[in-house]
Amino acid sequence: MLKLLNKIIRIGVITEPATPPAAAEMERLGIEVKRTLDRRFAGSLAIRHVDAGSCNGCELEIHALNNSYYDVERFGVHFVASPRHADCLLVTGPVSRNMEMALRRTYDACPEPKLVIASGDCACNGGEFGVSYASCGAVANVIPVDVRIAGCPPAPAQLLAALQYLLQSARAQHIPR
Amino acid sequence: MTDDNPLLPFIDACRRNGLDPGPMDPATLAPASLLRVDVSQWLELAQAAKSAGLRWCAFWAGEYGTDMEAYSCMERAGAYLILRCRFGREQALPSLAPVFPSADRPERHARDLLGIVFKDQPDERRWTRHHAWKATEHPLRSDFHAQPPGPTPADHEYPFVTAHGPGIVEIPVGPVHAGVIEPGHFRFQAMGEIILNLEERLGYVHKGIEKAAVGRDANGLARLAGRISGDSTVAHGWAACQALERAAQIDVPRRALWLRAVLAERERVANHLGDIGAICNDAAFAFAQYQLTRLREDSLRENATVFGHRLLMDCVIPGGVAGDITADQARDMRNNAITLAAEVKQVIQILEDSESLEDRLMRTGRLAPELAAELGVIGFAGRASGQVYDVRADAPYAPYDQFEVRVPHYRAGDVAARAKVRSEEITVSLEMMARLLDSLPNGPCRTPWHAPAQACAGLGIVEGWRGEILSYVSLDEHGQVTRFFPRDPSWLIWPALELCVQGNIVPDFPLCNKSMNGSYSGHDL
Ligand code: SF4
């Protein structure tokens, strides 16, 4: 037990500061935003991840968002277990035909605003797999997409930037009176 | 053939059974010995192989002109044997599943994709096919170019095994799971909390990799191979490139081989770190997750700095590696490996001291050694259940033929044993990395790729972090791929998961699943 506490204290908190990217920086990061979030989501975003046919490389980097360096939860971003609890779907992979219906149903089950982030080259444009007898290609071929993050796979810093941008732009909105 | 040929018992078994398999061809699919066999001998030769103690590795098939050809790969003491059989499209191929149970799903995969008719296949059900194509269509045939006309319906009405009786409940799980993981369906039959039976239904991430390979050049194939299973991008890339290089008879420079091994060991360490953390986290021991994912992240960042990609994608290319490293980078990487080894040791020691963790991991998800042998389970999952095989040590390919590789193994076969094998493998890999970097040869890090002048084929066999990967590639006279079959170790790990969870409680399933860690994408292709 002493060793454990010792290790915890010695390593301490290693989470790195992260500032939201400026709009001009988004292109360099390979992030394209077509629709931002409503102000109501400024403090918290519930994400449901759907692997629609990925190679699992994208998932590894999404996992990394929760490691102690990135600690995505500090921004109010959390991953939820059901689309019913989600504001946003984070979809990876080309959409395999065998996952097509599962993705459509997950989308239908998700309440408004149903923001869809296509994460990774496969989700954006089909990647190495394209459209075939087994693959529908890009996520946008199956459900509407609001945000695209390029990369194979997108690095956690890129994912974090996209999420921060969304939350920040929500925060910047005025509530009309 | 000398007395110490590990395949000798197979030849003896053939003789005893009055079989004449004909001469072995050691060159065409080296390092495997190739036997060209008639469809009438296919089953009997497999039976002889089984009786001689050969381990079943892989089955794949393809078109051969207007006929079909089927391959069955087996291994004993590091020597590989491939049976190849050419037969007419309307002919039935005897199923090997009654002899080697793990051949069941690969055969059903070939039936779904190529329309091969099997004789005495114990399971008539489809496997990779859901509803994207019809039973009468065969996507891997060269005359198939269709795409589904509309949205593909969900895979309902798959005839799962059912159980009836008072108190028995069925629990369907997936394809979309609660966490950030790959999709697949699990059907449990449970009595209270106890799992009586688990049936897997996979194929959800089938994205047509074998078909997408056809017509690619070598570089295009390497890119695709690096995306079969993103966590094994180096291992699959290396296996495919090894197959390509053997087919085209290209010598890879020594420096490139050393660097490939450095990449492969880095991939092994990163995956083991992340997964051991995740296993402990599933047992609510968040300390391990915090510390080990931190170390994993450090390692991925070093990958990005030195090799230009956090997960090392596209670093292995036909003929060598994509980029070289400087002497300073080699020195730093070596020193960091030593530091990391010390830190991992410290964290693992803390884990081993935790009784609550031990309570969750020991005796959970036990796969008995006899069962592991029957299923031909490989990799760390096999090594935790007494199946001591590691391609790097038992059938070493360059540069591992220059080093001694220690292979940690246990017989307990539980979640704890699998985690323990993996934690010890981290140490072995980090030591290996230091030795590789200390002895890094000078010279170029790639040989230019040149397409072979005639049609040819090659076989790659490497030890990925999950276990042995087999990669079969055939090229036409223009150097374009005509057939690609990557056998991810997951084909042999998924059946083991079904059995190791029996008698466990449902809430321990995630722990068992994580500890086996089959790849969905690597299996579904
Ligand atoms: S974008 Fe790259 S990492 Fe992500 S699923 Fe596609 S191939 Fe894999």
Side-chain angles (χ1 to χ4, degrees):
Chain A
M1 197 62 188
L2 217 55
K3 278 193 221 150
L4 185 147
L5 292 174
N6 196 6
K7 185 82 189 169
I8 292 175
I9 292 166
R10 229 179 37 74
I11 297 296
V13 176
I14 54 169
T15 309
E16 297 166 333
T19 38
E25 219 187 317
M26 298 291 277
E27 199 177 331
R28 188 184 61 79
L29 290 168
I31 304 166
E32 184 196 334
V33 180
K34 288 185 165 172
R35 178 171 70 121
T36 56
L37 281 160
D38 193 85
R39 189 187 164 91
R40 281 169 297 173
F41 297 93
S44 151
L45 185 66
I47 300 182
R48 172 68 247 196
H49 160 257
V50 184
D51 173 344
S54 106
C55 79
N56 198 28
C58 278
E59 281 63 38
L60 294 178
E61 294 295 53
I62 294 172
H63 276 294
L65 277 178
N66 280 319
N67 76 29
S68 37
Y69 283 107
Y70 301 106
D71 184 23
V72 72
E73 291 216 6
R74 72 185 136 144
F75 302 107
V77 174
H78 51 282
F79 288 85
V80 295
S82 162
R84 294 264 182 237
H85 307 155
D87 311 312
C88 164
L89 295 181
L90 178 66
V91 188
T92 55
V95 183
S96 73
R97 305 263 176 201
N98 292 350
M99 275 302 286
E100 183 178 356
M101 206 42 80
L103 177 61
R104 284 180 196 275
R105 284 187 187 157
T106 307
Y107 180 75
D108 290 343
C110 183
E112 291 294 336
K114 278 187 198 285
L115 194 84
V116 176
I117 305 177
S119 182
D121 288 348
C122 288
C124 293
N125 59 34
E128 285 292 321
F129 310 103
V131 176
S132 74
Y133 78 93
S135 162
C136 305
V139 174
N141 294 346
V142 180
I143 56 172
V145 168
D146 303 301
V147 179
R148 287 193 178 83
I149 309 176
C152 182
Q158 247 175 304
L159 297 167
L160 195 62
L163 294 170
Q164 279 187 287
Y165 180 87
L166 285 171
L167 290 165
Q168 185 199 35
S169 47
R171 223 169 282 135
Q173 282 171 29
H174 296 290
I175 303 178
R177 287 178 188 271
Chain B
M1 260 172 211
T2 55
D3 280 355
D4 54 8
N5 176 357
L7 296 179
L8 215 54
F10 165 71
I11 299 175
D12 288 344
C14 288
R15 280 207 200 102
R16 270 199 310 278
N17 291 297
L19 292 166
D20 174 20
M24 287 205 192
D25 169 359
T28 305
L29 285 181
S33 302
L34 178 68
L35 268 185
R36 299 173 174 86
V37 310
D38 187 74
V39 67
S40 62
Q41 288 199 323
W42 179 254
L43 178 64
E44 285 170 312
L45 287 171
Q47 280 162 338
K50 170 111 177 190
S51 70
L54 273 71
R55 168 178 69 90
W56 185 85
C57 316
F59 169 85
W60 69 95
E63 288 179 314
Y64 177 68
T66 54
D67 287 347
M68 306 300 271
E69 58 180 11
Y71 294 80
S72 184
C73 180
M74 289 161 282
E75 176 273 339
R76 183 173 180 276
Y80 286 83
L81 171 73
I82 289 184
L83 307 182
R84 187 185 74 191
C85 170
R86 291 181 169 156
F87 57 105
R89 278 186 194 211
E90 305 314 320
Q91 257 178 310
L93 186 70
S95 168
L96 299 187
V99 186
F100 296 109
S102 294
D104 175 67
R105 288 172 183 178
E107 287 183 352
R108 288 159 67 196
H109 176 77
R111 183 167 62 199
D112 286 349
L113 286 151
L114 281 152
I116 292 177
V117 181
F118 287 96
K119 189 165 163 279
D120 300 327
Q121 222 291 351
D123 198 332
E124 287 296 319
R125 297 173 298 171
R126 56 202 160 80
W127 180 244
T128 306
R129 185 172 70 83
H130 290 196
H131 290 302
W133 67 96
K134 298 196 206 67
T136 50
E137 296 175 321
H138 310 299
L140 261 188
R141 290 198 182 178
S142 48
D143 59 3
F144 179 93
H145 303 291
Q147 278 177 23
T152 302
D155 185 38
H156 45 76
E157 85 218 6
Y158 179 78
F160 286 99
V161 173
T162 53
H164 303 284
I168 296 181
V169 288
E170 284 217 342
I171 313 170
V173 180
V176 180
H177 300 295
V180 180
I181 60 167
E182 305 183 74
H185 184 93
F186 300 105
R187 186 65 62 100
F188 296 94
Q189 276 109 23
M191 176 85 95
E193 287 221 303
I194 307 289
I195 300 171
L196 301 178
N197 189 50
L198 162 65
E199 194 177 359
E200 296 155 356
R201 175 80 184 114
L202 301 177
Y204 286 92
V205 286
H206 175 67
K207 42 198 172 280
I209 288 176
E210 290 162 276
K211 185 92 171 178
V214 175
R216 286 184 181 235
D217 63 8
N219 288 312
L221 184 75
R223 261 197 326 277
L224 184 67
R227 286 157 180 81
I228 291 166
S229 179
D231 52 35
S232 305
T233 180
V234 174
H236 269 291
W238 191 350
C241 286
Q242 204 182 61
L244 285 164
E245 288 148 5
R246 282 175 180 159
Q249 296 178 353
I250 285 177
D251 280 331
V252 180
R254 278 163 55 87
R255 187 175 178 84
L257 293 167
W258 259 249
L259 287 173
R260 281 182 179 180
V262 169
L263 293 165
E265 299 311 325
R266 294 191 70 82
E267 180 167 271
R268 195 180 323 275
V269 170
N271 278 292
H272 285 355
L273 285 173
D275 287 346
I276 295 172
I279 289 168
C280 296
N281 201 47
D282 276 348
F285 199 75
F287 165 81
Q289 168 98 332
Y290 188 96
Q291 299 298 336
L292 295 175
T293 54
R294 169 178 70 83
L295 298 176
R296 176 183 156 91
E297 178 69 22
D298 290 343
S299 180
L300 298 193
R301 289 181 178 192
E302 190 173 35
N303 285 349
T305 317
V306 179
F307 297 102
H309 195 286
R310 286 168 51 91
L311 302 182
L312 306 171
M313 274 180 174
D314 305 321
C315 289
V316 179
I317 56 168
V321 291
D324 208 343
I325 63 172
T326 65
D328 285 352
Q329 285 174 323
R331 194 199 50 231
D332 290 350
M333 224 187 324
R334 183 204 183 280
N335 294 341
N336 291 341
I338 302 294
T339 317
L340 178 57
E343 245 199 287
V344 171
K345 202 167 153 207
Q346 197 187 27
V347 175
I348 297 292
Q349 185 60 50
I350 295 173
L351 303 187
E352 284 179 349
D353 289 348
S354 160
E355 279 169 28
S356 65
L357 196 59
E358 185 184 285
D359 188 47
R360 285 297 303 281
L361 306 190
M362 283 179 83
R363 288 174 298 279
T364 302
R366 189 161 186 274
L367 181 72
E370 303 71 41
L371 217 49
E374 179 67 13
L375 294 176
V377 183
I378 45 172
F380 65 81
R383 293 190 285 270
S385 290
Q387 309 308 301
V388 192
Y389 185 76
D390 184 318
V391 188
R392 295 174 300 166
D394 297 300
Y397 46 104
Y400 295 107
D401 51 357
Q402 304 297 316
F403 300 91
E404 200 186 317
V405 183
R406 191 162 63 79
V407 184
H409 56 92
Y410 290 90
R411 288 184 67 81
D414 51 11
V415 174
R418 289 189 280 279
K420 205 151 165 42
V421 166
R422 297 184 74 176
S423 71
E424 289 176 27
E425 284 184 10
I426 295 177
T427 312
V428 174
S429 280
L430 289 170
E431 286 167 7
M432 171 69 72
M433 222 186 285
R435 280 191 284 163
L436 286 160
L437 290 164
D438 282 340
S439 61
L440 195 61
N442 289 320
C445 68
R446 63 202 281 192
T447 302
W449 170 259
H450 60 81
Q454 58 196 22
C456 55
L459 184 71
I461 311 172
V462 307
E463 184 78 19
W465 65 267
R466 235 185 221 105
E468 166 204 66
I469 292 180
L470 252 73
S471 203
Y472 170 81
V473 179
S474 66
L475 301 170
D476 66 12
E477 63 279 13
H478 309 294
Q480 289 187 329
V481 176
T482 50
R483 183 77 177 98
F484 174 51
F485 179 75
R487 204 292 331 269
D488 191 86
S490 306
W491 282 99
L492 294 152
I493 290 173
W494 282 117
L497 175 67
E498 285 187 338
L499 297 180
C500 87
V501 299
Q502 287 181 1
N504 284 257
I505 55 173
V506 178
D508 272 347
F509 173 70
L511 209 49
C512 298
N513 191 13
K514 192 75 211 165
S515 78
M516 283 283 181
N517 207 337
S519 161
Y520 299 71
S521 185
H523 165 279
D524 292 352
L525 297 176

